[in-house]
Amino acid sequence: MPELPDLEVARALLAQRLAGLTIDAVDVRRPIVVRNLLGGELAAHLSGRRFAAVRRRGKFLLFPLDDQHLLAVNPMAAGRL
């Protein structure tokens, strides 16, 4: 599992590169690891949304979107997105 300092570096790097970018498409390769609390297809909820920022809470990376929803990612043991 990634250590907190590693996640903070990842957060800072992603914040620089993602803020303001639009999600063009979504490809869920392993649906078993995705928890979509909104119902329906995840791609439909994320496509066209823009990243507002990147934050960290504990071992989760948080991606607030322009529609007030929040994408939460736990890199888990692999330490990758």
Side-chain angles (χ1 to χ4, degrees):
M1 182 173 291
E3 297 293 328
L4 291 180
D6 297 333
L7 281 177
E8 188 55 35
V9 169
R11 186 215 56 79
L13 179 66
L14 290 169
Q16 288 178 336
R17 296 185 179 195
L18 293 181
L21 290 182
T22 300
I23 301 170
D24 292 329
V26 176
D27 180 21
V28 179
R29 295 184 182 178
R30 294 185 181 159
I32 195 159
V33 300
V34 174
R35 304 292 184 264
N36 178 5
L37 302 179
L38 298 174
E41 291 294 320
L42 182 64
H45 290 294
L46 294 178
S47 295
R49 301 277 54 97
R50 290 169 37 116
F51 291 104
V54 181
R55 301 189 318 246
R56 181 186 62 79
R57 180 161 178 113
K59 294 206 174 185
F60 286 88
L61 291 175
L62 306 175
F63 301 87
L65 303 174
D66 62 351
D67 66 350
Q68 305 305 312
H69 285 102
L70 181 71
L71 177 64
V73 175
N74 183 345
M76 297 173 53
R80 61 183 179 182
L81 301 175

